[in-house]
Amino acid sequence: MKQIDRFNLIDTIGRELQAQMTYSDIDIYLKGFGIDVSKPTSGANSKWVYSKELLADEPDDIIIRIANELEVEHSYSLVSDVAIAGSGYWSPNHFRLFLSHLATFKKQTHLLKQALSEFGISGFVAHESIDPTQEWQEEIEKALFSMDALAAIFMPGVNESKWIDQELGVAIGRDVLIIPVLKGLDPYGFIGKIQGLQTKNKSVAQVADDIYTTLVSNPKSKTKMIRNLVNLLVTERNIERAKQWQALLGNIGKIGSEHLQIIQTQVPENTIIMDNDALLKKINAMLEKHGHHKIQVSPFDNFDDDIPF
């Protein structure tokens, strides 16, 4: 979504909310979409302005979902969650990162994809992520229009590739974060002003770490990245993986109230976590660090009903 179109859509949503709801109603309504209504606003005496400020940093998919529910007219569509799940190339609850690369760099890009999975990032590598029987161009288009961000590996020959330029064009048009990964070539054209990640003398794991750090700190991707890590944590059935997701979340400087609320309410339903005292202690320390109450363990959780009466 272009920035001006996004601005206009948020403006229209703000006017609808102003007309239909009180301030408290707006808070309750937007909380239902996982929006942090406690973040600072300008204090302007206008529900329209208040709504716009709360929506300003939200991802496009949330804006479109709200517009759809309020029956606001627009020309944008959401990629079907069912279609995405059935595609097989995005891992559930993971951040979706399209990896744009030259065919000659396929092996290294595959290794990067594997390294990124340790950070809760699902990478799309064309021709690897697509089944040979599928229409590859159609599947690439689906990935481009369902990705959360794009990382392009800039190396000699990229500026001669029509495919990479088109992939970058889609990312620019959708206004998603573009991360130039520099491998001997600087960004050019519309993204020439974007600072790239240097890869000289770095391992694949270090490059993956740099990409994750960018995603978890950039305003265009931070909320989505944190949301995915939270979802991975609360649904994880492997204790070592759960520890991994918690460690990543624990190192993030600021986590939104809505994400912490999900942890508070859903972790108690995950017996794998609740049965691990060390992990639960770390989760509670994280909650307290951000001003939230700890998760309490029920005294009956370890009740043995075989004790003689």
Side-chain angles (χ1 to χ4, degrees):
M1 187 186 303
K2 292 182 179 179
Q3 197 62 31
I4 186 63
D5 296 332
R6 173 184 166 85
F7 175 85
N8 289 334
L9 186 55
I10 290 176
D11 182 86
T12 305
I13 290 172
R15 294 187 184 280
E16 282 295 320
L17 293 174
Q18 179 185 42
Q20 297 185 30
M21 304 181 187
T22 64
Y23 278 102
S24 59
D25 288 340
I26 290 172
D27 284 353
I28 294 170
Y29 182 72
L30 294 183
K31 277 183 180 179
F33 290 92
I35 295 173
D36 180 11
V37 298
S38 65
K39 57 188 176 185
T41 56
S42 65
N45 189 24
S46 165
K47 291 182 289 182
W48 166 55
V49 173
Y50 177 70
S51 299
K52 290 201 300 178
E53 291 178 347
L54 289 178
L55 293 171
D57 297 325
E58 295 302 316
D60 288 351
D61 62 326
I62 297 296
I63 301 301
I64 294 172
R65 290 182 192 279
I66 293 173
N68 288 345
E69 187 162 304
L70 293 174
E71 298 183 352
V72 171
E73 290 188 9
H74 62 86
S75 58
Y76 297 96
S77 60
L78 291 165
V79 178
S80 168
D81 290 336
V82 175
I84 292 171
S87 66
Y89 45 74
W90 295 129
S91 300
N93 290 327
H94 284 59
F95 188 94
R96 301 167 187 159
L97 182 67
F98 191 102
L99 296 171
S100 188
H101 65 100
L102 290 176
T104 55
F105 208 63
K106 180 178 177 180
K107 180 179 179 180
Q108 293 89 333
T109 308
H110 167 73
L111 294 174
L112 178 60
K113 172 185 174 179
Q114 290 181 318
L116 287 167
S117 67
E118 297 300 309
F119 296 95
I121 301 167
S122 179
F124 177 89
V125 180
H127 307 298
E128 174 196 80
S129 303
I130 301 172
D131 189 279
T133 62
Q134 295 175 310
E135 292 292 335
W136 65 272
Q137 185 171 337
E138 180 180 340
E139 294 304 305
I140 289 175
E141 289 176 0
K142 286 182 181 179
L144 285 168
F145 284 96
S146 59
M147 66 182 174
D148 298 316
L150 180 144
I153 300 171
F154 279 81
M155 58 190 300
V158 162
N159 50 355
E160 299 170 7
S161 169
K162 294 180 180 178
W163 289 111
I164 293 179
D165 276 351
Q166 289 185 56
E167 290 161 3
L168 288 167
V170 172
I172 292 170
R174 289 190 56 212
D175 195 33
V176 300
L177 177 65
I178 298 173
I179 304 174
V181 180
L182 307 185
K183 185 70 177 174
L185 183 70
D186 290 331
Y188 53 85
F190 287 112
I191 62 170
K193 61 184 178 180
I194 302 176
Q195 185 175 359
L197 297 180
Q198 294 291 343
T199 63
K200 188 175 181 180
N201 299 324
K202 290 184 178 179
S203 66
V204 171
Q206 288 172 319
V207 174
D209 189 286
D210 287 346
I211 290 175
Y212 165 74
T213 300
T214 300
L215 292 174
V216 83
S217 59
N218 191 287
K220 283 188 176 182
S221 53
K222 180 177 181 178
T223 299
K224 180 71 173 178
M225 186 73 243
I226 294 175
R227 182 180 300 158
N228 284 113
L229 287 174
V230 168
N231 289 338
L232 284 168
L233 173 64
V234 300
T235 60
E236 185 59 67
R237 307 306 298 170
N238 178 287
I239 191 61
E240 294 307 317
R241 283 288 188 183
K243 291 178 181 178
Q244 182 176 335
W245 308 136
Q246 186 282 320
L248 290 171
L249 285 166
N251 287 327
I252 295 173
K254 182 175 175 56
I255 300 177
S257 178
E258 73 277 15
H259 298 133
L260 295 166
Q261 187 66 33
I262 292 172
I263 293 172
Q264 274 187 317
T265 57
Q266 295 190 25
V267 162
E269 299 176 11
N270 187 326
T271 56
I272 299 297
I273 296 177
M274 294 300 291
D275 289 342
N276 190 287
D277 292 339
L279 178 55
L280 186 58
K281 184 177 180 180
K282 289 183 178 180
I283 291 174
N284 277 332
M286 180 175 67
L287 289 170
E288 287 189 302
K289 169 186 171 184
H290 294 284
H292 279 246
H293 296 299
K294 296 193 299 184
I295 296 168
Q296 300 297 326
V297 179
S298 169
F300 299 105
D301 282 350
N302 298 317
F303 178 69
D304 184 357
D305 60 2
D306 289 331
I307 297 175
F309 184 70

